Amino acid sequence: MPFFSKCGITLDHIITGSGSSTMIDLVGEIFLNIGDEVVYCTPTYEAFPDMISDNGAVRVPVPLTADYKFDLDAMRAAITDKTKLAIIVNPNNPTGTCVSGAQIEAFIRGLPDHVIPVVDEAYIEFTNSDETYSMLKLINEGYDRPLIVLRTFSKIYGLAGLRVGYCIAPPEIIDEMNKIDQAWNMSKLSQAAAVEAMKDQDYIKMVKEKTILNRKYLVDGLRDLGCEVADSVTNFIYFRSPIEPKELVKIMNERYDILMSAFDDRSRVTCGLPEENKAFLSAMRGIISETTAEIISA
């Protein structure tokens, strides 16, 4: 395929499966033994901590930085002789933030030989910064150590329901993954849809441009309402408001028919169409005003 060939990727570097979550499971099954340690930052995509525990390994979570990004220095400091994998989700889920490609590349090149880097790039197509680049660059340049990059068609390509994910790694790793991968793990419909979706890069460019505009509209609107908002480069916004997240999710769902997610003391909302984003900010304005009035009256 032209997309992969321009990245210096051949078919023996790729394995596909039913979403990138399947790829995550395969990585755990192949590389993790009981007692192995896996370093990652938290909060992040929940499939990774689950994969670690499912294989009897030890979770070594490191807090994100103050601006909600992966703390690569703290991750490096947490690596021991027992560390098997170092996981980086960039851009991160659920925060939507990212660290520069140069920082990740330096982190990977500085890892001890016994640690395998796993980089989840599910949302990287939404980024609009020249500083954020894919770790496929290393593979293209002939990087001669283990490196696993995970991608999916569930995000910018919009094929979440069809479950198409893929992993790019050195051929010897792909060969091991193929040995334990389930047979017929993708339907012909999913495969055909993914191939056709990759052909229409003009559409993907349009989706990205509109997402960037809608993302800025939501970020600016939430900050105008006094919310603390992470600097998202994805299609969702991670923020803290005066309303308890689970209560906010309930009100938005029941009163406004708007779906959101709750994460401890923060909430997350996905960018929608302009009219949907406007309705969301209007609802937020009303809910915050009600909450403020209740506090004052109390």
Side-chain angles (χ1 to χ4, degrees), residues 214-226:
N214 283 298
R215 182 173 72 211
K216 184 178 187 306
Y217 175 78
L218 284 176
V219 168
D220 291 345
L222 285 168
R223 286 177 174 163
D224 288 343
L225 291 173

Side-chain angles (χ1 to χ4, degrees), residues 138-169:
L138 272 68
I139 298 175
N140 188 35
E141 293 174 350
Y143 186 64
D144 60 356
R145 292 173 58 189
L147 168 61
I148 297 172
V149 178
L150 305 177
R151 291 286 194 93
T152 180
F153 282 82
S154 293
K155 310 310 177 186
I156 201 167
Y157 287 96
L159 301 182
L162 291 178
R163 311 305 302 143
V164 181
Y166 58 101
C167 169
I168 300 173

Side-chain angles (χ1 to χ4, degrees), residues 257-277:
D257 198 27
I258 294 175
L259 297 179
M260 294 179 56
S261 301
F263 296 87
D264 296 328
D265 62 341
R266 291 168 179 81
S267 306
R268 189 181 75 174
V269 66
T270 299
C271 299
L273 298 173
E275 58 270 23
E276 295 171 331
N277 297 330

Side-chain angles (χ1 to χ4, degrees), residues 29-200:
E29 290 179 40
I30 291 172
F31 291 107
L32 294 182
N33 297 307
I34 295 175
D36 286 340
E37 295 178 354
V38 181
V39 178
Y40 62 99
C41 281
T42 185
T44 195
Y45 185 39
E46 294 178 353
F48 285 107
D50 289 344
M51 172 268 284
I52 297 166
S53 297
D54 289 346
N55 290 280
V58 178
R59 299 180 182 183
V60 184
V62 174
L64 298 173
T65 61
D67 53 355
Y68 307 110
K69 297 180 180 181
F70 260 60
D71 191 335
L72 300 181
D73 290 337
M75 285 181 63
R76 187 178 292 106
I79 290 173
T80 71
D81 292 341
K82 294 182 179 180
T83 306
K84 182 66 70 69
L85 303 175
I87 295 168
I88 303 171
V89 181
N90 199 59
N92 188 33
N93 176 7
T95 64
T97 54
C98 70
V99 294
S100 73
Q103 288 175 296
I104 296 177
E105 183 174 347
F107 174 83
I108 290 173
R109 292 185 182 277
L111 287 174
D113 289 342
H114 66 281
V115 180
I116 300 172
V118 179
V119 186
D120 186 326
E121 297 181 343
Y123 289 92
I124 199 166
E125 288 96 345
F126 287 109
T127 61
N128 60 325
S129 170
D130 292 336
E131 294 183 354
T132 305
Y133 58 81
S134 171
M135 290 303 104
L136 296 181
K137 169 182 178 290
L138 272 68
I139 298 175
N140 188 35
E141 293 174 350
Y143 186 64
D144 60 356
R145 292 173 58 189
L147 168 61
I148 297 172
V149 178
L150 305 177
R151 291 286 194 93
T152 180
F153 282 82
S154 293
K155 310 310 177 186
I156 201 167
Y157 287 96
L159 301 182
L162 291 178
R163 311 305 302 143
V164 181
Y166 58 101
C167 169
I168 300 173
E172 57 270 24
I173 289 180
I174 298 300
D175 185 56
E176 293 301 315
M177 296 178 76
N178 274 316
K179 290 177 182 178
I180 65 169
D181 191 21
Q182 292 183 347
W184 310 296
N185 64 4
M186 286 175 56
S187 69
K188 286 187 176 180
L189 177 61
S190 297
Q191 295 176 47
V195 170
E196 290 303 313
M198 291 185 69
K199 292 178 182 178
D200 196 352

